[in-house]
Structure formats: structure tokens, C-alpha cells
PDB file of all heavy atoms in Angstrom:
ATOM      1  N   ARG G 277    -185.396 -61.665  -2.033  1.00 91.00           N
ATOM      2  CA  ARG G 277    -186.409 -62.235  -2.924  1.00 91.00           C
ATOM      3  C   ARG G 277    -187.782 -62.292  -2.271  1.00 91.00           C
ATOM      4  O   ARG G 277    -188.795 -62.135  -2.953  1.00 91.00           O
ATOM      5  CB  ARG G 277    -185.980 -63.640  -3.364  1.00 91.00           C
ATOM      6  CG  ARG G 277    -184.751 -63.644  -4.249  1.00 91.00           C
ATOM      7  CD  ARG G 277    -184.479 -65.018  -4.818  1.00 91.00           C
ATOM      8  NE  ARG G 277    -183.338 -65.009  -5.722  1.00 91.00           N
ATOM      9  CZ  ARG G 277    -182.943 -66.059  -6.433  1.00 91.00           C
ATOM     10  NH1 ARG G 277    -183.608 -67.199  -6.344  1.00 91.00           N
ATOM     11  NH2 ARG G 277    -181.899 -65.985  -7.236  1.00 91.00           N
ATOM     12  N   ASP G 278    -187.820 -62.522  -0.970  1.00 92.00           N
ATOM     13  CA  ASP G 278    -189.115 -62.637  -0.297  1.00 92.00           C
ATOM     14  C   ASP G 278    -189.883 -61.318  -0.344  1.00 92.00           C
ATOM     15  O   ASP G 278    -191.076 -61.281  -0.639  1.00 92.00           O
ATOM     16  CB  ASP G 278    -188.924 -63.089   1.146  1.00 92.00           C
ATOM     17  CG  ASP G 278    -188.448 -64.533   1.242  1.00 92.00           C
ATOM     18  OD1 ASP G 278    -188.669 -65.278   0.271  1.00 92.00           O
ATOM     19  OD2 ASP G 278    -187.849 -64.900   2.265  1.00 92.00           O
ATOM     20  N   SER G 279    -189.184 -60.213  -0.041  1.00 93.00           N
ATOM     21  CA  SER G 279    -189.843 -58.906  -0.032  1.00 93.00           C
ATOM     22  C   SER G 279    -189.782 -58.219  -1.388  1.00 93.00           C
ATOM     23  O   SER G 279    -190.432 -57.207  -1.611  1.00 93.00           O
ATOM     24  CB  SER G 279    -189.188 -57.994   1.015  1.00 93.00           C
ATOM     25  OG  SER G 279    -187.838 -57.738   0.679  1.00 93.00           O
ATOM     26  N   GLN G 280    -188.954 -58.774  -2.290  1.00 93.00           N
ATOM     27  CA  GLN G 280    -188.779 -58.216  -3.636  1.00 93.00           C
ATOM     28  C   GLN G 280    -188.300 -56.768  -3.585  1.00 93.00           C
ATOM     29  O   GLN G 280    -188.741 -55.923  -4.354  1.00 93.00           O
ATOM     30  CB  GLN G 280    -190.076 -58.340  -4.440  1.00 93.00           C
ATOM     31  CG  GLN G 280    -190.535 -59.770  -4.628  1.00 93.00           C
ATOM     32  CD  GLN G 280    -191.779 -59.890  -5.493  1.00 93.00           C
ATOM     33  OE1 GLN G 280    -192.257 -58.922  -6.071  1.00 93.00           O
ATOM     34  NE2 GLN G 280    -192.320 -61.094  -5.594  1.00 93.00           N
ATOM     35  N   ARG G 281    -187.340 -56.526  -2.713  1.00 96.00           N
ATOM     36  CA  ARG G 281    -186.756 -55.196  -2.602  1.00 96.00           C
ATOM     37  C   ARG G 281    -185.387 -55.308  -1.940  1.00 96.00           C
ATOM     38  O   ARG G 281    -185.067 -56.332  -1.327  1.00 96.00           O
ATOM     39  CB  ARG G 281    -187.671 -54.261  -1.814  1.00 96.00           C
ATOM     40  CG  ARG G 281    -187.971 -54.717  -0.381  1.00 96.00           C
ATOM     41  CD  ARG G 281    -188.985 -53.800   0.289  1.00 96.00           C
ATOM     42  NE  ARG G 281    -190.244 -53.765  -0.442  1.00 96.00           N
ATOM     43  CZ  ARG G 281    -191.197 -52.861  -0.250  1.00 96.00           C
ATOM     44  NH1 ARG G 281    -191.039 -51.924   0.671  1.00 96.00           N
ATOM     45  NH2 ARG G 281    -192.313 -52.905  -0.953  1.00 96.00           N
ATOM     46  N   PRO G 282    -184.568 -54.258  -2.042  1.00 97.00           N
ATOM     47  CA  PRO G 282    -183.260 -54.315  -1.380  1.00 97.00           C
ATOM     48  C   PRO G 282    -183.424 -54.294   0.132  1.00 97.00           C
ATOM     49  O   PRO G 282    -184.373 -53.714   0.671  1.00 97.00           O
ATOM     50  CB  PRO G 282    -182.558 -53.042  -1.870  1.00 97.00           C
ATOM     51  CG  PRO G 282    -183.335 -52.579  -3.066  1.00 97.00           C
ATOM     52  CD  PRO G 282    -184.743 -53.031  -2.839  1.00 97.00           C
ATOM     53  N   VAL G 283    -182.463 -54.920   0.809  1.00 97.00           N
ATOM     54  CA  VAL G 283    -182.429 -54.879   2.267  1.00 97.00           C
ATOM     55  C   VAL G 283    -181.011 -54.531   2.706  1.00 97.00           C
ATOM     56  O   VAL G 283    -180.037 -55.075   2.192  1.00 97.00           O
ATOM     57  CB  VAL G 283    -182.892 -56.226   2.886  1.00 97.00           C
ATOM     58  CG1 VAL G 283    -182.041 -57.389   2.403  1.00 97.00           C
ATOM     59  CG2 VAL G 283    -182.865 -56.155   4.406  1.00 97.00           C
ATOM     60  N   VAL G 284    -180.924 -53.574   3.626  1.00 97.00           N
ATOM     61  CA  VAL G 284    -179.637 -53.194   4.215  1.00 97.00           C
ATOM     62  C   VAL G 284    -179.498 -53.963   5.525  1.00 97.00           C
ATOM     63  O   VAL G 284    -180.379 -53.890   6.386  1.00 97.00           O
ATOM     64  CB  VAL G 284    -179.564 -51.677   4.471  1.00 97.00           C
ATOM     65  CG1 VAL G 284    -178.204 -51.299   5.058  1.00 97.00           C
ATOM     66  CG2 VAL G 284    -179.815 -50.904   3.173  1.00 97.00           C
ATOM     67  N   MET G 285    -178.417 -54.705   5.649  1.00 96.00           N
ATOM     68  CA  MET G 285    -178.197 -55.536   6.833  1.00 96.00           C
ATOM     69  C   MET G 285    -176.930 -55.087   7.554  1.00 96.00           C
ATOM     70  O   MET G 285    -175.952 -54.691   6.912  1.00 96.00           O
ATOM     71  CB  MET G 285    -178.076 -57.005   6.446  1.00 96.00           C
ATOM     72  CG  MET G 285    -179.269 -57.555   5.697  1.00 96.00           C
ATOM     73  SD  MET G 285    -179.147 -59.346   5.412  1.00 96.00           S
ATOM     74  CE  MET G 285    -177.697 -59.397   4.352  1.00 96.00           C
ATOM     75  N   ALA G 286    -176.958 -55.168   8.880  1.00 96.00           N
ATOM     76  CA  ALA G 286    -175.791 -54.793   9.672  1.00 96.00           C
ATOM     77  C   ALA G 286    -175.733 -55.650  10.923  1.00 96.00           C
ATOM     78  O   ALA G 286    -176.745 -56.176  11.392  1.00 96.00           O
ATOM     79  CB  ALA G 286    -175.839 -53.314  10.042  1.00 96.00           C
ATOM     80  N   SER G 287    -174.530 -55.780  11.452  1.00 94.00           N
ATOM     81  CA  SER G 287    -174.340 -56.518  12.695  1.00 94.00           C
ATOM     82  C   SER G 287    -173.134 -55.946  13.429  1.00 94.00           C
ATOM     83  O   SER G 287    -172.160 -55.519  12.808  1.00 94.00           O
ATOM     84  CB  SER G 287    -174.121 -58.012  12.423  1.00 94.00           C
ATOM     85  OG  SER G 287    -173.807 -58.694  13.623  1.00 94.00           O
ATOM     86  N   SER G 288    -173.227 -55.950  14.750  1.00 90.00           N
ATOM     87  CA  SER G 288    -172.098 -55.504  15.557  1.00 90.00           C
ATOM     88  C   SER G 288    -171.022 -56.571  15.631  1.00 90.00           C
ATOM     89  O   SER G 288    -169.921 -56.319  16.123  1.00 90.00           O
ATOM     90  CB  SER G 288    -172.568 -55.162  16.979  1.00 90.00           C
ATOM     91  OG  SER G 288    -173.173 -56.298  17.588  1.00 90.00           O
ATOM     92  N   GLU G 289    -171.327 -57.781  15.140  1.00 85.00           N
ATOM     93  CA  GLU G 289    -170.395 -58.900  15.203  1.00 85.00           C
ATOM     94  C   GLU G 289    -169.836 -59.192  13.814  1.00 85.00           C
ATOM     95  O   GLU G 289    -170.142 -60.206  13.195  1.00 85.00           O
ATOM     96  CB  GLU G 289    -171.089 -60.138  15.778  1.00 85.00           C
ATOM     97  CG  GLU G 289    -171.673 -59.916  17.167  1.00 85.00           C
ATOM     98  CD  GLU G 289    -172.393 -61.143  17.694  1.00 85.00           C
ATOM     99  OE1 GLU G 289    -172.007 -62.262  17.307  1.00 85.00           O
ATOM    100  OE2 GLU G 289    -173.333 -60.981  18.488  1.00 85.00           O
ATOM    101  N   GLY G 290    -169.014 -58.272  13.306  1.00 78.00           N
ATOM    102  CA  GLY G 290    -168.402 -58.455  12.004  1.00 78.00           C
ATOM    103  C   GLY G 290    -167.138 -59.279  12.087  1.00 78.00           C
ATOM    104  O   GLY G 290    -166.733 -59.744  13.150  1.00 78.00           O
ATOM    105  N   GLY G 291    -166.499 -59.491  10.924  1.00 68.00           N
ATOM    106  CA  GLY G 291    -165.264 -60.251  10.891  1.00 68.00           C
ATOM    107  C   GLY G 291    -165.423 -61.573  10.176  1.00 68.00           C
ATOM    108  O   GLY G 291    -166.382 -61.799   9.439  1.00 68.00           O
ATOM    109  N   VAL G 292    -164.492 -62.488  10.447  1.00 60.00           N
ATOM    110  CA  VAL G 292    -164.403 -63.715   9.658  1.00 60.00           C
ATOM    111  C   VAL G 292    -165.521 -64.704   9.947  1.00 60.00           C
ATOM    112  O   VAL G 292    -165.762 -65.620   9.164  1.00 60.00           O
ATOM    113  CB  VAL G 292    -163.035 -64.406   9.885  1.00 60.00           C
ATOM    114  CG1 VAL G 292    -161.913 -63.539   9.370  1.00 60.00           C
ATOM    115  CG2 VAL G 292    -162.827 -64.728  11.368  1.00 60.00           C
ATOM    116  N   ASP G 293    -166.216 -64.560  11.069  1.00 66.00           N
ATOM    117  CA  ASP G 293    -167.218 -65.554  11.458  1.00 66.00           C
ATOM    118  C   ASP G 293    -168.649 -65.046  11.321  1.00 66.00           C
ATOM    119  O   ASP G 293    -169.542 -65.491  12.037  1.00 66.00           O
ATOM    120  CB  ASP G 293    -166.972 -66.008  12.900  1.00 66.00           C
ATOM    121  CG  ASP G 293    -165.632 -66.715  13.066  1.00 66.00           C
ATOM    122  OD1 ASP G 293    -165.281 -67.512  12.175  1.00 66.00           O
ATOM    123  OD2 ASP G 293    -164.949 -66.454  14.071  1.00 66.00           O
ATOM    124  N   ILE G 294    -168.896 -64.134  10.388  1.00 70.00           N
ATOM    125  CA  ILE G 294    -170.230 -63.554  10.248  1.00 70.00           C
ATOM    126  C   ILE G 294    -171.252 -64.613   9.852  1.00 70.00           C
ATOM    127  O   ILE G 294    -172.420 -64.558  10.262  1.00 70.00           O
ATOM    128  CB  ILE G 294    -170.229 -62.392   9.227  1.00 70.00           C
ATOM    129  CG1 ILE G 294    -171.597 -61.711   9.200  1.00 70.00           C
ATOM    130  CG2 ILE G 294    -169.818 -62.872   7.861  1.00 70.00           C
ATOM    131  CD1 ILE G 294    -172.011 -61.069  10.493  1.00 70.00           C
ATOM    132  N   GLU G 295    -170.830 -65.628   9.076  1.00 68.00           N
ATOM    133  CA  GLU G 295    -171.768 -66.683   8.680  1.00 68.00           C
ATOM    134  C   GLU G 295    -172.278 -67.443   9.896  1.00 68.00           C
ATOM    135  O   GLU G 295    -173.462 -67.792   9.981  1.00 68.00           O
ATOM    136  CB  GLU G 295    -171.098 -67.650   7.696  1.00 68.00           C
ATOM    137  CG  GLU G 295    -170.817 -67.059   6.319  1.00 68.00           C
ATOM    138  CD  GLU G 295    -169.476 -66.381   6.255  1.00 68.00           C
ATOM    139  OE1 GLU G 295    -168.805 -66.269   7.319  1.00 68.00           O
ATOM    140  OE2 GLU G 295    -169.078 -65.940   5.167  1.00 68.00           O
ATOM    141  N   GLU G 296    -171.371 -67.706  10.849  1.00 73.00           N
ATOM    142  CA  GLU G 296    -171.781 -68.401  12.065  1.00 73.00           C
ATOM    143  C   GLU G 296    -172.718 -67.532  12.897  1.00 73.00           C
ATOM    144  O   GLU G 296    -173.673 -68.034  13.495  1.00 73.00           O
ATOM    145  CB  GLU G 296    -170.539 -68.781  12.887  1.00 73.00           C
ATOM    146  CG  GLU G 296    -169.639 -69.803  12.216  1.00 73.00           C
ATOM    147  CD  GLU G 296    -168.441 -70.160  13.077  1.00 73.00           C
ATOM    148  OE1 GLU G 296    -168.466 -69.825  14.284  1.00 73.00           O
ATOM    149  OE2 GLU G 296    -167.488 -70.762  12.550  1.00 73.00           O
ATOM    150  N   THR G 297    -172.448 -66.235  12.921  1.00 70.00           N
ATOM    151  CA  THR G 297    -173.326 -65.319  13.655  1.00 70.00           C
ATOM    152  C   THR G 297    -174.733 -65.351  13.083  1.00 70.00           C
ATOM    153  O   THR G 297    -175.726 -65.427  13.818  1.00 70.00           O
ATOM    154  CB  THR G 297    -172.772 -63.886  13.592  1.00 70.00           C
ATOM    155  OG1 THR G 297    -171.475 -63.855  14.193  1.00 70.00           O
ATOM    156  CG2 THR G 297    -173.694 -62.913  14.312  1.00 70.00           C
ATOM    157  N   ALA G 298    -174.835 -65.290  11.756  1.00 69.00           N
ATOM    158  CA  ALA G 298    -176.145 -65.287  11.104  1.00 69.00           C
ATOM    159  C   ALA G 298    -176.891 -66.592  11.360  1.00 69.00           C
ATOM    160  O   ALA G 298    -178.118 -66.597  11.518  1.00 69.00           O
ATOM    161  CB  ALA G 298    -175.975 -65.055   9.604  1.00 69.00           C
ATOM    162  N   ALA G 299    -176.151 -67.710  11.412  1.00 71.00           N
ATOM    163  CA  ALA G 299    -176.791 -69.010  11.603  1.00 71.00           C
ATOM    164  C   ALA G 299    -177.192 -69.237  13.056  1.00 71.00           C
ATOM    165  O   ALA G 299    -178.284 -69.751  13.337  1.00 71.00           O
ATOM    166  CB  ALA G 299    -175.851 -70.121  11.136  1.00 71.00           C
ATOM    167  N   ASN G 300    -176.328 -68.840  13.978  1.00 74.00           N
ATOM    168  CA  ASN G 300    -176.557 -69.148  15.391  1.00 74.00           C
ATOM    169  C   ASN G 300    -177.321 -68.063  16.146  1.00 74.00           C
ATOM    170  O   ASN G 300    -177.961 -68.350  17.156  1.00 74.00           O
ATOM    171  CB  ASN G 300    -175.212 -69.391  16.089  1.00 74.00           C
ATOM    172  CG  ASN G 300    -174.460 -70.560  15.486  1.00 74.00           C
ATOM    173  OD1 ASN G 300    -175.067 -71.523  15.012  1.00 74.00           O
ATOM    174  ND2 ASN G 300    -173.137 -70.485  15.498  1.00 74.00           N
ATOM    175  N   ASN G 301    -177.229 -66.828  15.658  1.00 75.00           N
ATOM    176  CA  ASN G 301    -177.889 -65.727  16.352  1.00 75.00           C
ATOM    177  C   ASN G 301    -178.467 -64.738  15.342  1.00 75.00           C
ATOM    178  O   ASN G 301    -177.971 -63.617  15.186  1.00 75.00           O
ATOM    179  CB  ASN G 301    -176.890 -65.015  17.277  1.00 75.00           C
ATOM    180  CG  ASN G 301    -177.568 -63.964  18.153  1.00 75.00           C
ATOM    181  OD1 ASN G 301    -178.792 -63.961  18.318  1.00 75.00           O
ATOM    182  ND2 ASN G 301    -176.769 -63.051  18.708  1.00 75.00           N
ATOM    183  N   PRO G 302    -179.506 -65.147  14.618  1.00 75.00           N
ATOM    184  CA  PRO G 302    -180.057 -64.289  13.562  1.00 75.00           C
ATOM    185  C   PRO G 302    -180.548 -62.936  14.067  1.00 75.00           C
ATOM    186  O   PRO G 302    -180.615 -61.974  13.300  1.00 75.00           O
ATOM    187  CB  PRO G 302    -181.212 -65.125  12.990  1.00 75.00           C
ATOM    188  CG  PRO G 302    -181.518 -66.159  14.028  1.00 75.00           C
ATOM    189  CD  PRO G 302    -180.229 -66.427  14.724  1.00 75.00           C
ATOM    190  N   ARG G 303    -180.892 -62.836  15.358  1.00 78.00           N
ATOM    191  CA  ARG G 303    -181.337 -61.549  15.897  1.00 78.00           C
ATOM    192  C   ARG G 303    -180.218 -60.520  15.949  1.00 78.00           C
ATOM    193  O   ARG G 303    -180.478 -59.318  16.112  1.00 78.00           O
ATOM    194  CB  ARG G 303    -181.923 -61.749  17.290  1.00 78.00           C
ATOM    195  CG  ARG G 303    -183.241 -62.525  17.304  1.00 78.00           C
ATOM    196  CD  ARG G 303    -183.868 -62.537  18.680  1.00 78.00           C
ATOM    197  NE  ARG G 303    -185.156 -63.210  18.689  1.00 78.00           N
ATOM    198  CZ  ARG G 303    -185.936 -63.333  19.748  1.00 78.00           C
ATOM    199  NH1 ARG G 303    -185.528 -62.812  20.919  1.00 78.00           N
ATOM    200  NH2 ARG G 303    -187.097 -63.950  19.680  1.00 78.00           N
ATOM    201  N   ALA G 304    -178.974 -60.989  15.814  1.00 81.00           N
ATOM    202  CA  ALA G 304    -177.841 -60.067  15.814  1.00 81.00           C
ATOM    203  C   ALA G 304    -177.720 -59.325  14.491  1.00 81.00           C
ATOM    204  O   ALA G 304    -176.921 -58.389  14.375  1.00 81.00           O
ATOM    205  CB  ALA G 304    -176.547 -60.819  16.112  1.00 81.00           C
ATOM    206  N   ILE G 305    -178.497 -59.735  13.494  1.00 90.00           N
ATOM    207  CA  ILE G 305    -178.473 -59.089  12.184  1.00 90.00           C
ATOM    208  C   ILE G 305    -179.614 -58.069  12.106  1.00 90.00           C
ATOM    209  O   ILE G 305    -180.791 -58.430  12.148  1.00 90.00           O
ATOM    210  CB  ILE G 305    -178.617 -60.120  11.044  1.00 90.00           C
ATOM    211  CG1 ILE G 305    -177.595 -61.245  11.210  1.00 90.00           C
ATOM    212  CG2 ILE G 305    -178.477 -59.436   9.700  1.00 90.00           C
ATOM    213  CD1 ILE G 305    -176.154 -60.819  11.080  1.00 90.00           C
ATOM    214  N   LEU G 306    -179.264 -56.797  12.007  1.00 95.00           N
ATOM    215  CA  LEU G 306    -180.256 -55.729  11.843  1.00 95.00           C
ATOM    216  C   LEU G 306    -180.621 -55.603  10.373  1.00 95.00           C
ATOM    217  O   LEU G 306    -179.762 -55.737   9.497  1.00 95.00           O
ATOM    218  CB  LEU G 306    -179.695 -54.403  12.358  1.00 95.00           C
ATOM    219  CG  LEU G 306    -179.128 -54.399  13.781  1.00 95.00           C
ATOM    220  CD1 LEU G 306    -178.516 -53.038  14.093  1.00 95.00           C
ATOM    221  CD2 LEU G 306    -180.213 -54.740  14.783  1.00 95.00           C
ATOM    222  N   LYS G 307    -181.905 -55.320  10.093  1.00 95.00           N
ATOM    223  CA  LYS G 307    -182.353 -55.225   8.699  1.00 95.00           C
ATOM    224  C   LYS G 307    -183.231 -54.002   8.501  1.00 95.00           C
ATOM    225  O   LYS G 307    -184.083 -53.695   9.334  1.00 95.00           O
ATOM    226  CB  LYS G 307    -183.127 -56.482   8.285  1.00 95.00           C
ATOM    227  CG  LYS G 307    -182.298 -57.761   8.285  1.00 95.00           C
ATOM    228  CD  LYS G 307    -183.127 -58.961   7.822  1.00 95.00           C
ATOM    229  CE  LYS G 307    -182.289 -60.235   7.821  1.00 95.00           C
ATOM    230  NZ  LYS G 307    -183.073 -61.408   7.360  1.00 95.00           N
ATOM    231  N   GLN G 308    -182.998 -53.325   7.386  1.00 97.00           N
ATOM    232  CA  GLN G 308    -183.844 -52.219   6.955  1.00 97.00           C
ATOM    233  C   GLN G 308    -184.204 -52.462   5.493  1.00 97.00           C
ATOM    234  O   GLN G 308    -183.332 -52.442   4.609  1.00 97.00           O
ATOM    235  CB  GLN G 308    -183.123 -50.870   7.111  1.00 97.00           C
ATOM    236  CG  GLN G 308    -182.969 -50.383   8.536  1.00 97.00           C
ATOM    237  CD  GLN G 308    -184.300 -49.939   9.133  1.00 97.00           C
ATOM    238  OE1 GLN G 308    -185.174 -49.434   8.425  1.00 97.00           O
ATOM    239  NE2 GLN G 308    -184.454 -50.122  10.446  1.00 97.00           N
ATOM    240  N   TYR G 309    -185.507 -52.687   5.229  1.00 97.00           N
ATOM    241  CA  TYR G 309    -185.967 -52.918   3.867  1.00 97.00           C
ATOM    242  C   TYR G 309    -186.209 -51.584   3.169  1.00 97.00           C
ATOM    243  O   TYR G 309    -186.720 -50.638   3.775  1.00 97.00           O
ATOM    244  CB  TYR G 309    -187.234 -53.765   3.871  1.00 97.00           C
ATOM    245  CG  TYR G 309    -186.991 -55.171   4.367  1.00 97.00           C
ATOM    246  CD1 TYR G 309    -187.106 -55.482   5.730  1.00 97.00           C
ATOM    247  CD2 TYR G 309    -186.627 -56.182   3.485  1.00 97.00           C
ATOM    248  CE1 TYR G 309    -186.858 -56.773   6.188  1.00 97.00           C
ATOM    249  CE2 TYR G 309    -186.383 -57.470   3.939  1.00 97.00           C
ATOM    250  CZ  TYR G 309    -186.496 -57.758   5.291  1.00 97.00           C
ATOM    251  OH  TYR G 309    -186.245 -59.032   5.744  1.00 97.00           O
ATOM    252  N   VAL G 310    -185.838 -51.528   1.896  1.00 97.00           N
ATOM    253  CA  VAL G 310    -185.886 -50.269   1.153  1.00 97.00           C
ATOM    254  C   VAL G 310    -187.000 -50.311   0.114  1.00 97.00           C
ATOM    255  O   VAL G 310    -187.032 -51.203  -0.741  1.00 97.00           O
ATOM    256  CB  VAL G 310    -184.541 -49.992   0.453  1.00 97.00           C
ATOM    257  CG1 VAL G 310    -184.582 -48.639  -0.264  1.00 97.00           C
ATOM    258  CG2 VAL G 310    -183.393 -50.031   1.465  1.00 97.00           C
ATOM    259  N   ASP G 311    -187.896 -49.349   0.182  1.00 96.00           N
ATOM    260  CA  ASP G 311    -188.932 -49.188  -0.838  1.00 96.00           C
ATOM    261  C   ASP G 311    -188.289 -48.510  -2.044  1.00 96.00           C
ATOM    262  O   ASP G 311    -187.857 -47.355  -1.951  1.00 96.00           O
ATOM    263  CB  ASP G 311    -190.073 -48.334  -0.294  1.00 96.00           C
ATOM    264  CG  ASP G 311    -191.235 -48.223  -1.277  1.00 96.00           C
ATOM    265  OD1 ASP G 311    -191.050 -48.538  -2.472  1.00 96.00           O
ATOM    266  OD2 ASP G 311    -192.329 -47.807  -0.844  1.00 96.00           O
ATOM    267  N   PRO G 312    -188.191 -49.190  -3.197  1.00 92.00           N
ATOM    268  CA  PRO G 312    -187.532 -48.580  -4.361  1.00 92.00           C
ATOM    269  C   PRO G 312    -188.183 -47.278  -4.809  1.00 92.00           C
ATOM    270  O   PRO G 312    -187.526 -46.447  -5.442  1.00 92.00           O
ATOM    271  CB  PRO G 312    -187.666 -49.661  -5.441  1.00 92.00           C
ATOM    272  CG  PRO G 312    -187.878 -50.929  -4.694  1.00 92.00           C
ATOM    273  CD  PRO G 312    -188.661 -50.554  -3.476  1.00 92.00           C
ATOM    274  N   ALA G 313    -189.459 -47.086  -4.474  1.00 93.00           N
ATOM    275  CA  ALA G 313    -190.152 -45.869  -4.906  1.00 93.00           C
ATOM    276  C   ALA G 313    -189.639 -44.627  -4.186  1.00 93.00           C
ATOM    277  O   ALA G 313    -189.694 -43.522  -4.728  1.00 93.00           O
ATOM    278  CB  ALA G 313    -191.663 -46.012  -4.680  1.00 93.00           C
ATOM    279  N   VAL G 314    -189.148 -44.798  -2.959  1.00 94.00           N
ATOM    280  CA  VAL G 314    -188.682 -43.640  -2.182  1.00 94.00           C
ATOM    281  C   VAL G 314    -187.197 -43.709  -1.864  1.00 94.00           C
ATOM    282  O   VAL G 314    -186.591 -42.707  -1.479  1.00 94.00           O
ATOM    283  CB  VAL G 314    -189.494 -43.492  -0.875  1.00 94.00           C
ATOM    284  CG1 VAL G 314    -190.949 -43.247  -1.183  1.00 94.00           C
ATOM    285  CG2 VAL G 314    -189.339 -44.731   0.014  1.00 94.00           C
TER     286      VAL G 314
END
């Protein structure tokens, strides 16, 4: 919603505790924002 575009997110720390990873170590989440025009 902030960028008003899709974002592809990835992390090397997948599995059942991904919510804790996002909360405790947000830098572990990689993000690529997508321009809908391209």
C-alpha cells in the first residue's frame, strides 16, 4: 500500500517461524518492487 505496487519478497529463513523472522530481523527479508508499467 505504501508504494502502491506489487512487491516480491524473499528470505533465506523460510518455514514455520517466518513471522518471527520478519519481526525480529526485517533485514532478512529481500524486497523487489514491481513497476506495473513494465
Side-chain angles (χ1 to χ4, degrees):
R277 293 188 177 185
D278 291 338
S279 64
Q280 299 183 7
R281 60 185 59 194
V283 58
V284 181
M285 303 186 296
S287 174
S288 59
E289 302 178 29
V292 295
D293 297 319
I294 186 62
E295 290 88 354
E296 294 181 14
T297 299
N300 299 328
N301 187 17
R303 292 187 177 182
I305 308 295
L306 307 176
K307 296 182 180 181
Q308 287 289 328
Y309 293 90
V310 183
D311 184 344
V314 298

